[in-house]
Amino acid sequence: MEEKMSGRGLLITFEGIDGCGKSTQMRLAADWLRSRGVACLTTHEPGATPLGREIRRLLLSSGKHVTVEAELLLFLADRAQHVREQLVPALAANRIVLCDRYSDSTHAYQMAARKLGQDERVLTLLDFAECGVHPDLTLWFDVSVDVAFHRMQQRQKGGGERSRFDLEARSFHQRVADGFARLARQSPCRIRRIDAERSIEQVQRQVRMEIETFLEDKL
Ligand code: ADP
Ligand code: TYD
């Protein structure tokens, strides 16, 4: 697979509401790609760079008041750093990058769920942070809020951290889910819907199929 790649690398993003299972699936997809000789980089937002880790702590720890505008700018500061420090060099080196959350999360969480809307100023800032780095393929893990809540509870029992977003009301997570559904309708070629309510193995099968189909086209 790898030898056939030429030019710029490829960015594949994993998106969905909290607890949809995307991090689990991204790990499995990376193992699968590597087992087939494809050198891929795995990364995530927020918090993949040294600066980003500090920003992530500010963003996710509960118990402090954060305005919607400040929240947006912190996510975008994290992205600006991540894009320039990690994504641009990896893509220039022709790598396949798997990224757990990217710009669609900002659309779904800040613009839809936090109700910032399609403000032109916000769109300009998003462009500025992304610096022309757009996902080539996005896998959207579609689950109901009920299923996601159940999975988050399981994860917390296993010792996982609870973020400021995990503490949000059901209605907030439903707005996030509606935001992702709208984005998928707007970009049906780039955003592929994954039926994420099935077992980990079944979901992984669909993930591999989507990535394989996409790479066959590109490589
Ligand atoms: P996300 O990154 O989307 O928040 P995770 O991948 O961390 O979600 O998964 C959340 C929890 O749900 C974890 O405890 C994980 O083991 C579990 N999980 C993930 N996918 C599934 C699935 N398809 N069925 C049941 N449980 C799952
Ligand atoms: P994280 O623990 O990484 O969540 P998950 O494992 O569910 O992906 O926390 C990231 C949180 O940040 C998540 O609740 C979504 C939110 N987020 C935004 O609100 N806007 C953004 O632009 C990004 C990248 C994440």
Side-chain angles (χ1 to χ4, degrees), residues 12 29 32-33 137 139 207-215:
I12 304 179
W32 168 67
L33 283 169
L137 171 70
L139 302 179
V207 167
R208 290 181 186 183
M209 198 194 73
E210 292 294 351
I211 294 178
E212 204 149 40
T213 307
F214 169 74
L215 291 181

Side-chain angles (χ1 to χ4, degrees), residues 5-11 90-97 136:
M5 282 187 70
S6 61
R8 184 187 158 277
L10 296 166
L11 175 60
L91 294 171
N94 215 17
R95 312 262 313 261
I96 291 183
V97 179
D136 298 287

Side-chain angles (χ1 to χ4, degrees), residues 9-143:
L10 296 166
L11 175 60
I12 304 179
T13 58
F14 289 62
E15 297 276 11
I17 61 176
D18 295 80
C20 67
K22 63 188 165 35
S23 310
T24 305
Q25 294 299 330
M26 193 178 96
R27 256 192 318 274
L28 294 170
D31 290 346
W32 168 67
L33 283 169
R34 285 175 187 137
S35 76
R36 299 187 57 175
V38 179
C40 59
L41 172 77
T42 55
T43 184
H44 63 276
E45 290 195 359
T49 63
L51 177 70
R53 279 190 275 285
E54 304 266 331
I55 297 172
R56 179 183 170 92
R57 192 175 46 76
L58 291 172
L59 274 166
L60 301 190
S61 59
S62 49
K64 94 175 81 50
H65 175 63
V66 185
T67 64
V68 183
E69 292 78 9
E71 180 179 284
L72 170 81
L73 292 169
L74 285 169
F75 277 115
L76 295 187
D78 172 73
R79 181 158 311 139
Q81 188 76 17
H82 184 216
V83 166
R84 288 155 183 84
E85 200 171 308
Q86 293 198 358
L87 300 189
V88 167
L91 294 171
N94 215 17
R95 312 262 313 261
I96 291 183
V97 179
L98 307 185
C99 186
D100 189 342
R101 296 197 182 281
Y102 192 62
S103 46
D104 293 307
S105 281
T106 315
H107 281 271
Y109 282 79
Q110 279 66 51
M111 294 162 83
R114 296 276 196 229
K115 305 183 180 173
L116 274 176
Q118 297 289 308
D119 186 323
E120 278 300 322
R121 296 169 303 173
V122 175
L123 294 171
T124 304
L125 284 169
L126 261 153
D127 271 357
F128 184 58
E130 283 167 23
C131 191
V133 173
H134 303 299
D136 298 287
L137 171 70
T138 296
L139 302 179
W140 164 45
F141 294 83
D142 186 17
V143 289

